[in-house]
């Protein structure tokens, strides 16, 4: 009974390793992989750009103020807009 369970677990591990290898090959050696990496880089850069206020500098994501529209604003800019 134990041998059957071990064999089943090893088969599932083999399928997972094969899937991971196929995914790695897709990302490294195909044009689709290049496009996926470019999209990831673009999203990472866009998130980093959203954290930098042109007036007050870099802020962390926890410091930003989310408006009702969903847009995030620098807390200093929000304070200046609200009280000026």
């Amino acid at each position: 009974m134990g041998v059957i369970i071990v064999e089943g677990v090893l088969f599932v591990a083999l399928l997972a390793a094969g899937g991971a290898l196929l995914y790695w090959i897709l990302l490294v050696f195909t044009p689709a992989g290049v496009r996926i990496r470019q999209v990831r880089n673009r999203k990472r850069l866009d998130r980093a750009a959203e954290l930098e206020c042109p007036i007050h500098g870099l802020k962390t994501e926890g410091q930003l103020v989310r408006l009702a529209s969903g847009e995030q604003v620098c807390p200093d800019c929000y304070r200046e807009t609200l009280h000026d």
Side-chain angles (χ1 to χ4, degrees):
M1 180 72 175
V3 174
I4 296 172
I5 292 173
V6 170
E7 183 181 354
V9 169
L10 288 176
F11 180 72
V12 170
L14 178 67
L15 288 178
L21 179 64
L22 185 64
Y23 180 72
W24 179 75
I25 289 172
L26 172 81
L27 286 181
V28 174
F29 296 113
T30 64
V34 172
R35 184 160 179 106
I36 290 169
R37 285 194 310 270
Q38 288 174 345
V39 168
R40 285 181 184 168
N41 284 338
R42 191 175 308 116
K43 286 181 182 179
R44 182 181 54 83
L45 291 172
D46 287 344
R47 280 193 305 269
E50 288 175 359
L51 296 178
E52 186 168 354
C53 175
I55 300 168
H56 300 104
L58 190 62
K59 302 290 182 187
T60 63
E61 193 166 349
Q63 292 175 325
L64 296 179
V65 177
R66 185 171 300 276
L67 301 176
S69 64
E71 184 181 355
Q72 292 181 332
V73 178
C74 166
D76 298 326
C77 292
Y78 179 75
R79 207 173 302 118
E80 289 172 2
T81 304
L82 188 65
H83 296 297
D84 284 346

